[in-house]
Amino acid sequence: MRVYLLLMLVAAAVTFLTTPFARWAALKTSAISAVRARDVHVLPTPRLGGLAMMFGIVVAVLLASRMPFLEGMFRDGQVWGILGGAGLVCLLGWADDKWDLDWLTKLAGQVLAAGVMAFQGVQLYTVPWPSGLTILPGQATVAITIFVVVLAMNAVNFVDGLDGLAAGIIAIGGSAFFFYTYGLTQVVSADDYASVATLLMAVLVGVCVGFLPHNFFPSRIFMGDAGSMVLGLVMAGAAISVTGRIQPDIQPVEVLSGAQSLPAFLPLLLPVAVLLLPLLDMGLAVLRRLAAGKSPMAPDRMHLHHRMLALGHSHRRAVVILYVWTAVFAYTAAALVWLSWQAVLVWLGVAVVVALVLTLGPLRHRGRFLDDDVALSGAIHKSPVTAGAPPEGSDR
């Protein structure tokens, strides 16, 4: 555990310290989000924070590769495949943040990055089934893997619409996934706690925590596509790598000692729980736009975060409440490893009630809990970016 926490700290520190340089690069290259009719931010804002996040991932992974405890994980190429795919989508996001690429070009780049991962062995070989784990046919593994990775990247990109929202959701949900994968490794490999998924989640949580001080409202920099796609890809890579820790010929009840129910489903259920809000937001957006006869990629102001603001929440309150919902779903799914499904269901009910009160209760309209006024006025006074200078962006 201490090794993973050290890597988490390194990733956070590197990301925090290099984000100002990413902001400088964004200002120098005019990679700045203008204020458009559908946007929530009120000032043109640099958007290359993903470069700092990628640098934090690279430094932490390279450090891990030199640690005797973890060096064995780097022999089969999975970690390097995920790192290579992340590097590709980071460059793709940088280009999109600078030149506003069309959706087809972005999709092609995403497929290429997911393909790099798949051909390095990061493939979804098994899926859970009521009777146990089912092995996918060989010709389908690459295609399904690419689909899952591209879906995760776009889900995180869709939800990246409020300051600190995407980074906070991945940090909170990723921490639940981290504890789950660490517990899984302790049971499956009692003599070796090294795990690709645990390593990746420790690093991913670290870079999100390191980026949040710069990105929470009022944000001084956005992660941009260079960040959101990297987060989605690494999350998907970690989830897929977990399936390799469970043998498909073992019955679900035998997979995890102490799990009360559905343990074989958790390697895929938990990432879905972590990304539930982004996936729900993306699914509703696609259905809404198709029903209106528009492209699924057509922008609008009907995302979940827009609806939170419409309920009367401040920017910061809306973000924190969406954090709460993420924690409810992610930690509920992770708790299935240690608690019976009946106990988890009770705690889920209590947590949902609390989250609903926060979402729909009196905090929407009165009280100064997480109000935006003071912070926003200070940000406007200090901001060196002038309105009208940057080109229009694509992701917010």
Side-chain angles (χ1 to χ4, degrees), residues 32-44 47 100 160 222 299 301 391-396:
I32 302 175
S33 286
V35 180
R36 301 157 297 179
R38 71 175 186 267
D39 290 325
V40 174
H41 65 283
V42 297
L43 291 173
R47 54 175 182 170
D100 193 12
D160 183 28
F222 297 153
R301 286 183 61 90
E392 187 167 298
S394 64
D395 63 325
R396 294 173 67 88

Side-chain angles (χ1 to χ4, degrees), residues 39-88:
D39 290 325
V40 174
H41 65 283
V42 297
L43 291 173
T45 305
R47 54 175 182 170
L48 285 182
L51 297 183
M53 302 175 87
M54 185 67 211
F55 192 63
I57 292 173
V58 169
V59 171
V61 169
L62 289 178
L63 177 62
S65 70
R66 308 302 299 173
M67 293 180 171
F69 171 62
L70 298 174
E71 62 182 2
M73 297 188 313
F74 291 83
R75 294 173 187 152
D76 63 2
Q78 283 197 27
V79 178
W80 300 123
I82 294 171
L83 193 64
L88 285 176

Side-chain angles (χ1 to χ4, degrees), residues 6 16 19 65 74 84 117 127-128 154 178 187 189 248 275 293 316 327 331 349 358 376:
L6 172 62
F16 178 78
T19 296
S65 70
F74 291 83
M117 286 176 49
V127 293
N154 284 287
F178 168 79
V187 173
S189 303
L275 294 176
R316 291 190 288 177
Y331 276 93
L358 291 174
L376 185 57

Side-chain angles (χ1 to χ4, degrees), residues 363-380:
L363 284 178
R364 291 181 297 156
H365 302 296
R366 62 175 182 267
R368 295 194 58 80
F369 176 65
L370 291 176
D371 278 353
D372 298 337
D373 299 344
V374 175
L376 185 57
S377 63
I380 294 175

Side-chain angles (χ1 to χ4, degrees), residues 56-342:
I57 292 173
V58 169
V59 171
V61 169
L62 289 178
L63 177 62
S65 70
R66 308 302 299 173
M67 293 180 171
F69 171 62
L70 298 174
E71 62 182 2
M73 297 188 313
F74 291 83
R75 294 173 187 152
D76 63 2
Q78 283 197 27
V79 178
W80 300 123
I82 294 171
L83 193 64
L88 285 176
V89 294
C90 185
L91 293 175
L92 176 68
W94 187 352
D96 184 56
D97 290 337
K98 176 71 174 88
W99 293 296
D100 193 12
L101 303 176
D102 63 272
W103 71 269
L104 189 59
T105 301
K106 287 174 62 176
L107 180 61
Q110 292 171 347
V111 170
L112 176 62
V116 168
M117 286 176 49
F119 285 107
Q120 283 294 320
V122 185
Q123 296 184 23
L124 195 60
Y125 293 107
T126 62
V127 293
W129 208 251
S131 60
L133 288 171
T134 300
I135 302 176
L136 293 171
Q139 62 271 24
T141 55
V142 172
I144 294 176
T145 298
I146 291 174
F147 173 78
V148 168
V149 175
V150 171
L151 181 68
M153 283 191 281
N154 284 287
V156 177
N157 192 34
F158 264 68
V159 83
D160 183 28
L162 293 181
D163 294 357
L165 182 56
I169 283 177
I170 297 301
I172 294 168
S175 66
F177 198 16
F178 168 79
F179 287 120
Y180 162 71
T181 57
Y182 185 76
L184 172 65
T185 305
Q186 286 182 306
V187 173
V188 175
S189 303
D191 58 342
D192 182 8
Y193 293 171
S195 163
V196 171
T198 310
L199 166 64
L200 292 175
M201 295 319 303
V203 172
L204 202 61
V205 171
V207 298
C208 290
V209 170
F211 184 64
L212 268 174
H214 300 280
N215 185 235
F216 198 73
F217 185 88
S219 177
R220 294 186 293 276
I221 185 171
F222 297 153
M223 68 173 65
D225 281 6
S228 61
M229 291 194 294
V230 166
L231 295 184
L233 181 140
V234 175
M235 174 66 75
I240 292 169
S241 70
V242 173
T243 63
R245 304 292 295 178
I246 301 178
Q247 299 300 320
D249 57 342
I250 299 178
Q251 291 300 312
V253 72
E254 299 174 332
V255 173
L256 288 175
S257 176
Q260 307 302 318
S261 178
L262 303 179
F265 289 80
L266 281 177
L268 296 181
L269 173 63
L270 190 50
V272 171
V274 171
L275 294 176
L276 184 61
L277 289 184
L279 290 170
L280 178 63
D281 193 24
M282 183 177 69
L284 291 175
V286 170
L287 292 175
R288 180 174 64 247
R289 293 164 186 175
L290 290 176
K294 299 180 180 179
S295 166
M297 306 304 294
D300 58 32
R301 286 183 61 90
M302 298 291 288
H303 290 286
L304 291 178
H305 49 271
H306 291 125
R307 296 176 187 271
M308 294 293 294
L309 296 174
L311 285 173
H313 290 290
S314 68
H315 191 124
R316 291 190 288 177
R317 267 201 308 273
V319 170
V320 170
I321 290 171
L322 290 172
Y323 288 173
V324 170
W325 282 107
T326 298
V328 168
F329 294 125
Y331 276 93
T332 295
L336 287 170
V337 178
W338 297 281
L339 302 175
S340 67
W341 68 266
Q342 296 94 334

